Amino acid sequence: MENLKAILYLVATPIGNLEDITFRAVKVLKEVDFIAAEDTRHTRKLLTHFDIHTPLIRYDENNKDIAGVQIIERLKNGESAACVSDAGLPAISDPGSDLVKLAIETNIKVVPIPGANAALSALICSGLDTTSFTFIGFLPRTPKKCREVLERLKSHEETLIFYEAPHHLKTTLKNLSEVFGNREVILARELTKIHEEFIRSKLEDLINQFEDTEPRGEFVIVVDGADDEIVDVADESISDIMTVYQKFIADGLDKKTAMRETAKRLNISRREVYNYILTKES
Ligand code: SAM
């Protein structure tokens, strides 16, 4: 049973398939005093589908300063609210995060109602390293700032996750390729929808692929992390996990990093490396 007094609920909504909403999300959306939504028309359709009649107010990039204060005032007076975005988790690449900050500053309790999220859905199907990753979201629109961010990310070994609008996708792929080189990339398109697709490719091949076609739908871009250039393990020496692991250790890497790099080098899971080394060391 939820105690719905003076709480800001951050409610995940589907990113395509309506069946991805949770029982708890529907319950909270029905029971709160009001719902703050990015696009009330869009959210109205969702609410109608689930027979939810809770009052809706707009909270978006344009009115967030004024609407934010009004929402907090209502919460302070004991009302409860749900914040939703157009899709997925509120506060991930949308104005919900400002409302959360405001709520915390004014001691309003914030409660997550987890659910669908485009970045993590793309990541788990990417086949790239999921043990450590960096979520970037949308890159800055100005070329200079975009370049700065990418230069900063260039040597990150973790998998990188980007959001992008379809009409910017080609430019972003070119920018990624210019700074990162020809890395492995997965485009997760139209997640959870009828035309869901995972395009697994190299950045340059993808750029060529889109030469004559316009990208359509929603995309998450998942890019492989940078190769570790510090240690050079000769191919012929890759005979077993221990050999590779010990080479990384000898090169000065700590145990955790050495395990991660061993897994990457041998294209096996980190758990496999961890279990193996554990048995050898015990
Ligand atoms: N809050 C959302 C979440 O939790 O995933 C993200 C909102 S952000 C404003 C919108 C971006 O998320 C899109 O431009 C796209 O990159 C990604 N996205 C959202 N839904 C998607 C889907 N069904 N398939 C692929 N990407 C999606």
Side-chain angles (χ1 to χ4, degrees), residues 33-61:
D33 293 303
F34 65 99
I35 299 168
E38 241 187 313
D39 178 339
T40 48
R41 277 202 311 188
H42 178 88
T43 301
R44 173 88 54 210
K45 286 185 197 150
L46 179 82
L47 298 188
T48 305
H49 182 86
F50 289 102
D51 198 25
I52 298 167
H53 304 282
T54 310
L56 262 179
I57 63 158
R58 185 165 68 89
Y59 175 82
D60 65 14
E61 203 52 53

PDB file of all heavy atoms in Angstrom, residues 33-61:
ATOM      1  N   ASP A  33      -2.704  12.862  -6.642  1.00  0.00           N
ATOM      2  CA  ASP A  33      -3.648  13.976  -6.832  1.00  0.00           C
ATOM      3  C   ASP A  33      -3.543  14.571  -8.235  1.00  0.00           C
ATOM      4  O   ASP A  33      -4.528  15.022  -8.794  1.00  0.00           O
ATOM      5  CB  ASP A  33      -3.384  15.058  -5.778  1.00  0.00           C
ATOM      6  CG  ASP A  33      -3.726  14.553  -4.387  1.00  0.00           C
ATOM      7  OD1 ASP A  33      -4.888  14.145  -4.197  1.00  0.00           O
ATOM      8  OD2 ASP A  33      -2.829  14.517  -3.525  1.00  0.00           O
ATOM      9  N   PHE A  34      -2.323  14.592  -8.767  1.00  0.00           N
ATOM     10  CA  PHE A  34      -2.182  15.104 -10.136  1.00  0.00           C
ATOM     11  C   PHE A  34      -0.914  14.543 -10.779  1.00  0.00           C
ATOM     12  O   PHE A  34      -0.019  14.041 -10.086  1.00  0.00           O
ATOM     13  CB  PHE A  34      -2.179  16.637 -10.167  1.00  0.00           C
ATOM     14  CG  PHE A  34      -1.010  17.282  -9.478  1.00  0.00           C
ATOM     15  CD1 PHE A  34       0.082  17.743 -10.208  1.00  0.00           C
ATOM     16  CD2 PHE A  34      -0.985  17.450  -8.095  1.00  0.00           C
ATOM     17  CE1 PHE A  34       1.155  18.347  -9.581  1.00  0.00           C
ATOM     18  CE2 PHE A  34       0.083  18.061  -7.456  1.00  0.00           C
ATOM     19  CZ  PHE A  34       1.159  18.503  -8.210  1.00  0.00           C
ATOM     20  N   ILE A  35      -0.878  14.643 -12.097  1.00  0.00           N
ATOM     21  CA  ILE A  35       0.269  14.128 -12.862  1.00  0.00           C
ATOM     22  C   ILE A  35       0.908  15.288 -13.621  1.00  0.00           C
ATOM     23  O   ILE A  35       0.206  16.048 -14.307  1.00  0.00           O
ATOM     24  CB  ILE A  35      -0.177  13.044 -13.875  1.00  0.00           C
ATOM     25  CG1 ILE A  35      -0.802  11.854 -13.138  1.00  0.00           C
ATOM     26  CG2 ILE A  35       1.002  12.577 -14.737  1.00  0.00           C
ATOM     27  CD1 ILE A  35      -1.520  10.867 -14.049  1.00  0.00           C
ATOM     28  N   ALA A  36       2.220  15.436 -13.467  1.00  0.00           N
ATOM     29  CA  ALA A  36       2.952  16.458 -14.220  1.00  0.00           C
ATOM     30  C   ALA A  36       3.582  15.764 -15.425  1.00  0.00           C
ATOM     31  O   ALA A  36       4.393  14.852 -15.269  1.00  0.00           O
ATOM     32  CB  ALA A  36       4.028  17.084 -13.341  1.00  0.00           C
ATOM     33  N   ALA A  37       3.188  16.204 -16.626  1.00  0.00           N
ATOM     34  CA  ALA A  37       3.636  15.525 -17.840  1.00  0.00           C
ATOM     35  C   ALA A  37       4.291  16.511 -18.797  1.00  0.00           C
ATOM     36  O   ALA A  37       3.909  17.683 -18.860  1.00  0.00           O
ATOM     37  CB  ALA A  37       2.455  14.854 -18.524  1.00  0.00           C
ATOM     38  N   GLU A  38       5.249  15.990 -19.564  1.00  0.00           N
ATOM     39  CA  GLU A  38       5.949  16.810 -20.550  1.00  0.00           C
ATOM     40  C   GLU A  38       4.985  17.277 -21.637  1.00  0.00           C
ATOM     41  O   GLU A  38       4.917  18.441 -21.972  1.00  0.00           O
ATOM     42  CB  GLU A  38       7.024  15.925 -21.199  1.00  0.00           C
ATOM     43  CG  GLU A  38       8.413  16.399 -21.006  1.00  0.00           C
ATOM     44  CD  GLU A  38       9.379  15.559 -21.833  1.00  0.00           C
ATOM     45  OE1 GLU A  38       9.283  14.314 -21.816  1.00  0.00           O
ATOM     46  OE2 GLU A  38      10.224  16.167 -22.495  1.00  0.00           O
ATOM     47  N   ASP A  39       4.260  16.324 -22.185  1.00  0.00           N
ATOM     48  CA  ASP A  39       3.313  16.622 -23.258  1.00  0.00           C
ATOM     49  C   ASP A  39       1.976  16.029 -22.832  1.00  0.00           C
ATOM     50  O   ASP A  39       1.781  14.810 -22.858  1.00  0.00           O
ATOM     51  CB  ASP A  39       3.829  15.981 -24.557  1.00  0.00           C
ATOM     52  CG  ASP A  39       2.884  16.210 -25.720  1.00  0.00           C
ATOM     53  OD1 ASP A  39       1.689  16.501 -25.488  1.00  0.00           O
ATOM     54  OD2 ASP A  39       3.335  16.085 -26.869  1.00  0.00           O
ATOM     55  N   THR A  40       1.061  16.919 -22.408  1.00  0.00           N
ATOM     56  CA  THR A  40      -0.182  16.420 -21.793  1.00  0.00           C
ATOM     57  C   THR A  40      -1.036  15.644 -22.812  1.00  0.00           C
ATOM     58  O   THR A  40      -1.702  14.675 -22.444  1.00  0.00           O
ATOM     59  CB  THR A  40      -1.007  17.575 -21.184  1.00  0.00           C
ATOM     60  OG1 THR A  40      -1.107  18.613 -22.142  1.00  0.00           O
ATOM     61  CG2 THR A  40      -0.381  18.100 -19.909  1.00  0.00           C
ATOM     62  N   ARG A  41      -0.986  16.062 -24.079  1.00  0.00           N
ATOM     63  CA  ARG A  41      -1.788  15.341 -25.088  1.00  0.00           C
ATOM     64  C   ARG A  41      -1.291  13.907 -25.264  1.00  0.00           C
ATOM     65  O   ARG A  41      -2.055  12.961 -25.355  1.00  0.00           O
ATOM     66  CB  ARG A  41      -1.741  16.070 -26.427  1.00  0.00           C
ATOM     67  CG  ARG A  41      -2.759  17.201 -26.480  1.00  0.00           C
ATOM     68  CD  ARG A  41      -3.084  17.564 -27.881  1.00  0.00           C
ATOM     69  NE  ARG A  41      -1.846  17.757 -28.649  1.00  0.00           N
ATOM     70  CZ  ARG A  41      -1.806  18.240 -29.874  1.00  0.00           C
ATOM     71  NH1 ARG A  41      -2.905  18.575 -30.481  1.00  0.00           N
ATOM     72  NH2 ARG A  41      -0.661  18.392 -30.505  1.00  0.00           N
ATOM     73  N   HIS A  42       0.024  13.785 -25.290  1.00  0.00           N
ATOM     74  CA  HIS A  42       0.658  12.474 -25.439  1.00  0.00           C
ATOM     75  C   HIS A  42       0.314  11.596 -24.224  1.00  0.00           C
ATOM     76  O   HIS A  42      -0.095  10.440 -24.359  1.00  0.00           O
ATOM     77  CB  HIS A  42       2.169  12.698 -25.555  1.00  0.00           C
ATOM     78  CG  HIS A  42       2.970  11.455 -25.670  1.00  0.00           C
ATOM     79  ND1 HIS A  42       3.242  10.870 -26.877  1.00  0.00           N
ATOM     80  CD2 HIS A  42       3.535  10.663 -24.725  1.00  0.00           C
ATOM     81  CE1 HIS A  42       3.960   9.787 -26.672  1.00  0.00           C
ATOM     82  NE2 HIS A  42       4.149   9.633 -25.371  1.00  0.00           N
ATOM     83  N   THR A  43       0.478  12.167 -23.039  1.00  0.00           N
ATOM     84  CA  THR A  43       0.230  11.388 -21.814  1.00  0.00           C
ATOM     85  C   THR A  43      -1.257  11.059 -21.667  1.00  0.00           C
ATOM     86  O   THR A  43      -1.612  10.004 -21.158  1.00  0.00           O
ATOM     87  CB  THR A  43       0.770  12.145 -20.582  1.00  0.00           C
ATOM     88  OG1 THR A  43       2.166  12.345 -20.771  1.00  0.00           O
ATOM     89  CG2 THR A  43       0.559  11.377 -19.289  1.00  0.00           C
ATOM     90  N   ARG A  44      -2.109  11.976 -22.146  1.00  0.00           N
ATOM     91  CA  ARG A  44      -3.562  11.732 -22.060  1.00  0.00           C
ATOM     92  C   ARG A  44      -3.918  10.415 -22.752  1.00  0.00           C
ATOM     93  O   ARG A  44      -4.726   9.638 -22.264  1.00  0.00           O
ATOM     94  CB  ARG A  44      -4.315  12.908 -22.700  1.00  0.00           C
ATOM     95  CG  ARG A  44      -5.799  12.730 -22.828  1.00  0.00           C
ATOM     96  CD  ARG A  44      -6.586  13.186 -21.618  1.00  0.00           C
ATOM     97  NE  ARG A  44      -6.283  14.557 -21.242  1.00  0.00           N
ATOM     98  CZ  ARG A  44      -6.337  15.011 -20.002  1.00  0.00           C
ATOM     99  NH1 ARG A  44      -6.660  14.203 -19.017  1.00  0.00           N
ATOM    100  NH2 ARG A  44      -6.071  16.274 -19.734  1.00  0.00           N
ATOM    101  N   LYS A  45      -3.269  10.165 -23.882  1.00  0.00           N
ATOM    102  CA  LYS A  45      -3.564   8.925 -24.631  1.00  0.00           C
ATOM    103  C   LYS A  45      -3.209   7.700 -23.787  1.00  0.00           C
ATOM    104  O   LYS A  45      -3.947   6.729 -23.735  1.00  0.00           O
ATOM    105  CB  LYS A  45      -2.750   8.893 -25.935  1.00  0.00           C
ATOM    106  CG  LYS A  45      -3.279   9.836 -26.975  1.00  0.00           C
ATOM    107  CD  LYS A  45      -2.506   9.674 -28.274  1.00  0.00           C
ATOM    108  CE  LYS A  45      -2.746  10.884 -29.152  1.00  0.00           C
ATOM    109  NZ  LYS A  45      -1.629  11.201 -30.021  1.00  0.00           N
ATOM    110  N   LEU A  46      -2.071   7.794 -23.117  1.00  0.00           N
ATOM    111  CA  LEU A  46      -1.630   6.689 -22.262  1.00  0.00           C
ATOM    112  C   LEU A  46      -2.633   6.485 -21.123  1.00  0.00           C
ATOM    113  O   LEU A  46      -3.048   5.361 -20.815  1.00  0.00           O
ATOM    114  CB  LEU A  46      -0.237   7.000 -21.696  1.00  0.00           C
ATOM    115  CG  LEU A  46       0.347   5.951 -20.764  1.00  0.00           C
ATOM    116  CD1 LEU A  46       0.978   4.824 -21.569  1.00  0.00           C
ATOM    117  CD2 LEU A  46       1.402   6.568 -19.845  1.00  0.00           C
ATOM    118  N   LEU A  47      -3.031   7.599 -20.504  1.00  0.00           N
ATOM    119  CA  LEU A  47      -3.948   7.513 -19.368  1.00  0.00           C
ATOM    120  C   LEU A  47      -5.293   6.937 -19.816  1.00  0.00           C
ATOM    121  O   LEU A  47      -5.884   6.100 -19.120  1.00  0.00           O
ATOM    122  CB  LEU A  47      -4.150   8.905 -18.744  1.00  0.00           C
ATOM    123  CG  LEU A  47      -2.906   9.580 -18.167  1.00  0.00           C
ATOM    124  CD1 LEU A  47      -3.277  10.846 -17.416  1.00  0.00           C
ATOM    125  CD2 LEU A  47      -2.131   8.649 -17.234  1.00  0.00           C
ATOM    126  N   THR A  48      -5.761   7.370 -20.970  1.00  0.00           N
ATOM    127  CA  THR A  48      -7.040   6.872 -21.488  1.00  0.00           C
ATOM    128  C   THR A  48      -6.958   5.356 -21.683  1.00  0.00           C
ATOM    129  O   THR A  48      -7.870   4.619 -21.314  1.00  0.00           O
ATOM    130  CB  THR A  48      -7.385   7.565 -22.827  1.00  0.00           C
ATOM    131  OG1 THR A  48      -7.347   8.962 -22.588  1.00  0.00           O
ATOM    132  CG2 THR A  48      -8.745   7.158 -23.354  1.00  0.00           C
ATOM    133  N   HIS A  49      -5.840   4.916 -22.241  1.00  0.00           N
ATOM    134  CA  HIS A  49      -5.659   3.480 -22.499  1.00  0.00           C
ATOM    135  C   HIS A  49      -5.791   2.666 -21.208  1.00  0.00           C
ATOM    136  O   HIS A  49      -6.319   1.564 -21.213  1.00  0.00           O
ATOM    137  CB  HIS A  49      -4.284   3.245 -23.139  1.00  0.00           C
ATOM    138  CG  HIS A  49      -4.027   1.823 -23.484  1.00  0.00           C
ATOM    139  ND1 HIS A  49      -4.442   1.276 -24.679  1.00  0.00           N
ATOM    140  CD2 HIS A  49      -3.431   0.822 -22.789  1.00  0.00           C
ATOM    141  CE1 HIS A  49      -4.098   0.007 -24.699  1.00  0.00           C
ATOM    142  NE2 HIS A  49      -3.488  -0.292 -23.572  1.00  0.00           N
ATOM    143  N   PHE A  50      -5.274   3.233 -20.107  1.00  0.00           N
ATOM    144  CA  PHE A  50      -5.304   2.489 -18.840  1.00  0.00           C
ATOM    145  C   PHE A  50      -6.443   2.947 -17.924  1.00  0.00           C
ATOM    146  O   PHE A  50      -6.428   2.652 -16.727  1.00  0.00           O
ATOM    147  CB  PHE A  50      -3.944   2.606 -18.126  1.00  0.00           C
ATOM    148  CG  PHE A  50      -2.866   1.823 -18.837  1.00  0.00           C
ATOM    149  CD1 PHE A  50      -1.936   2.469 -19.642  1.00  0.00           C
ATOM    150  CD2 PHE A  50      -2.810   0.443 -18.729  1.00  0.00           C
ATOM    151  CE1 PHE A  50      -0.953   1.751 -20.319  1.00  0.00           C
ATOM    152  CE2 PHE A  50      -1.836  -0.285 -19.404  1.00  0.00           C
ATOM    153  CZ  PHE A  50      -0.910   0.363 -20.205  1.00  0.00           C
ATOM    154  N   ASP A  51      -7.372   3.700 -18.491  1.00  0.00           N
ATOM    155  CA  ASP A  51      -8.551   4.131 -17.749  1.00  0.00           C
ATOM    156  C   ASP A  51      -8.177   4.923 -16.491  1.00  0.00           C
ATOM    157  O   ASP A  51      -8.705   4.687 -15.399  1.00  0.00           O
ATOM    158  CB  ASP A  51      -9.386   2.874 -17.390  1.00  0.00           C
ATOM    159  CG  ASP A  51     -10.812   3.233 -17.005  1.00  0.00           C
ATOM    160  OD1 ASP A  51     -11.279   4.297 -17.453  1.00  0.00           O
ATOM    161  OD2 ASP A  51     -11.430   2.460 -16.240  1.00  0.00           O
ATOM    162  N   ILE A  52      -7.235   5.834 -16.682  1.00  0.00           N
ATOM    163  CA  ILE A  52      -6.767   6.676 -15.567  1.00  0.00           C
ATOM    164  C   ILE A  52      -7.349   8.073 -15.768  1.00  0.00           C
ATOM    165  O   ILE A  52      -7.231   8.646 -16.860  1.00  0.00           O
ATOM    166  CB  ILE A  52      -5.212   6.719 -15.536  1.00  0.00           C
ATOM    167  CG1 ILE A  52      -4.645   5.314 -15.306  1.00  0.00           C
ATOM    168  CG2 ILE A  52      -4.702   7.689 -14.471  1.00  0.00           C
ATOM    169  CD1 ILE A  52      -3.147   5.186 -15.556  1.00  0.00           C
ATOM    170  N   HIS A  53      -7.951   8.635 -14.702  1.00  0.00           N
ATOM    171  CA  HIS A  53      -8.634   9.922 -14.861  1.00  0.00           C
ATOM    172  C   HIS A  53      -8.039  11.018 -13.980  1.00  0.00           C
ATOM    173  O   HIS A  53      -8.697  12.002 -13.672  1.00  0.00           O
ATOM    174  CB  HIS A  53     -10.134   9.739 -14.569  1.00  0.00           C
ATOM    175  CG  HIS A  53     -10.729   8.677 -15.430  1.00  0.00           C
ATOM    176  ND1 HIS A  53     -11.061   8.892 -16.752  1.00  0.00           N
ATOM    177  CD2 HIS A  53     -10.977   7.355 -15.192  1.00  0.00           C
ATOM    178  CE1 HIS A  53     -11.508   7.765 -17.274  1.00  0.00           C
ATOM    179  NE2 HIS A  53     -11.467   6.807 -16.355  1.00  0.00           N
ATOM    180  N   THR A  54      -6.812  10.835 -13.560  1.00  0.00           N
ATOM    181  CA  THR A  54      -6.135  11.809 -12.684  1.00  0.00           C
ATOM    182  C   THR A  54      -5.877  13.103 -13.456  1.00  0.00           C
ATOM    183  O   THR A  54      -5.472  13.048 -14.626  1.00  0.00           O
ATOM    184  CB  THR A  54      -4.787  11.189 -12.221  1.00  0.00           C
ATOM    185  OG1 THR A  54      -5.055   9.888 -11.724  1.00  0.00           O
ATOM    186  CG2 THR A  54      -4.127  12.041 -11.163  1.00  0.00           C
ATOM    187  N   PRO A  55      -6.074  14.274 -12.808  1.00  0.00           N
ATOM    188  CA  PRO A  55      -5.807  15.543 -13.509  1.00  0.00           C
ATOM    189  C   PRO A  55      -4.348  15.650 -13.966  1.00  0.00           C
ATOM    190  O   PRO A  55      -3.436  15.206 -13.275  1.00  0.00           O
ATOM    191  CB  PRO A  55      -6.113  16.603 -12.437  1.00  0.00           C
ATOM    192  CG  PRO A  55      -6.971  15.928 -11.444  1.00  0.00           C
ATOM    193  CD  PRO A  55      -6.628  14.472 -11.463  1.00  0.00           C
ATOM    194  N   LEU A  56      -4.191  16.257 -15.128  1.00  0.00           N
ATOM    195  CA  LEU A  56      -2.861  16.399 -15.741  1.00  0.00           C
ATOM    196  C   LEU A  56      -2.462  17.860 -15.772  1.00  0.00           C
ATOM    197  O   LEU A  56      -3.277  18.725 -16.094  1.00  0.00           O
ATOM    198  CB  LEU A  56      -2.950  15.949 -17.203  1.00  0.00           C
ATOM    199  CG  LEU A  56      -2.531  14.564 -17.623  1.00  0.00           C
ATOM    200  CD1 LEU A  56      -2.760  14.410 -19.126  1.00  0.00           C
ATOM    201  CD2 LEU A  56      -1.072  14.324 -17.300  1.00  0.00           C
ATOM    202  N   ILE A  57      -1.187  18.134 -15.476  1.00  0.00           N
ATOM    203  CA  ILE A  57      -0.689  19.489 -15.712  1.00  0.00           C
ATOM    204  C   ILE A  57       0.585  19.396 -16.548  1.00  0.00           C
ATOM    205  O   ILE A  57       1.243  18.364 -16.568  1.00  0.00           O
ATOM    206  CB  ILE A  57      -0.420  20.272 -14.406  1.00  0.00           C
ATOM    207  CG1 ILE A  57       0.693  19.590 -13.591  1.00  0.00           C
ATOM    208  CG2 ILE A  57      -1.664  20.475 -13.572  1.00  0.00           C
ATOM    209  CD1 ILE A  57       1.355  20.535 -12.627  1.00  0.00           C
ATOM    210  N   ARG A  58       0.912  20.492 -17.206  1.00  0.00           N
ATOM    211  CA  ARG A  58       2.087  20.486 -18.086  1.00  0.00           C
ATOM    212  C   ARG A  58       3.337  20.868 -17.283  1.00  0.00           C
ATOM    213  O   ARG A  58       3.325  21.828 -16.513  1.00  0.00           O
ATOM    214  CB  ARG A  58       1.856  21.490 -19.221  1.00  0.00           C
ATOM    215  CG  ARG A  58       2.937  21.502 -20.277  1.00  0.00           C
ATOM    216  CD  ARG A  58       2.440  22.250 -21.514  1.00  0.00           C
ATOM    217  NE  ARG A  58       2.273  23.675 -21.266  1.00  0.00           N
ATOM    218  CZ  ARG A  58       3.227  24.597 -21.421  1.00  0.00           C
ATOM    219  NH1 ARG A  58       4.421  24.248 -21.844  1.00  0.00           N
ATOM    220  NH2 ARG A  58       2.983  25.866 -21.176  1.00  0.00           N
ATOM    221  N   TYR A  59       4.378  20.109 -17.462  1.00  0.00           N
ATOM    222  CA  TYR A  59       5.680  20.468 -16.881  1.00  0.00           C
ATOM    223  C   TYR A  59       6.718  20.136 -17.944  1.00  0.00           C
ATOM    224  O   TYR A  59       7.055  18.972 -18.185  1.00  0.00           O
ATOM    225  CB  TYR A  59       5.954  19.688 -15.586  1.00  0.00           C
ATOM    226  CG  TYR A  59       7.334  19.959 -15.045  1.00  0.00           C
ATOM    227  CD1 TYR A  59       7.589  21.096 -14.290  1.00  0.00           C
ATOM    228  CD2 TYR A  59       8.405  19.113 -15.332  1.00  0.00           C
ATOM    229  CE1 TYR A  59       8.866  21.379 -13.828  1.00  0.00           C
ATOM    230  CE2 TYR A  59       9.679  19.391 -14.873  1.00  0.00           C
ATOM    231  CZ  TYR A  59       9.901  20.515 -14.128  1.00  0.00           C
ATOM    232  OH  TYR A  59      11.173  20.806 -13.677  1.00  0.00           O
ATOM    233  N   ASP A  60       7.193  21.158 -18.624  1.00  0.00           N
ATOM    234  CA  ASP A  60       8.143  20.879 -19.711  1.00  0.00           C
ATOM    235  C   ASP A  60       9.283  21.895 -19.701  1.00  0.00           C
ATOM    236  O   ASP A  60       9.360  22.772 -18.828  1.00  0.00           O
ATOM    237  CB  ASP A  60       7.437  20.825 -21.070  1.00  0.00           C
ATOM    238  CG  ASP A  60       6.844  22.164 -21.473  1.00  0.00           C
ATOM    239  OD1 ASP A  60       7.191  23.200 -20.850  1.00  0.00           O
ATOM    240  OD2 ASP A  60       6.020  22.187 -22.399  1.00  0.00           O
ATOM    241  N   GLU A  61      10.143  21.799 -20.682  1.00  0.00           N
ATOM    242  CA  GLU A  61      11.334  22.641 -20.784  1.00  0.00           C
ATOM    243  C   GLU A  61      10.965  24.130 -20.757  1.00  0.00           C
ATOM    244  O   GLU A  61      11.680  24.946 -20.172  1.00  0.00           O
ATOM    245  CB  GLU A  61      12.059  22.277 -22.092  1.00  0.00           C
ATOM    246  CG  GLU A  61      13.526  22.594 -22.145  1.00  0.00           C
ATOM    247  CD  GLU A  61      14.331  22.059 -20.979  1.00  0.00           C
ATOM    248  OE1 GLU A  61      14.260  20.856 -20.684  1.00  0.00           O
ATOM    249  OE2 GLU A  61      15.036  22.884 -20.344  1.00  0.00           O
TER     250      GLU A  61
END
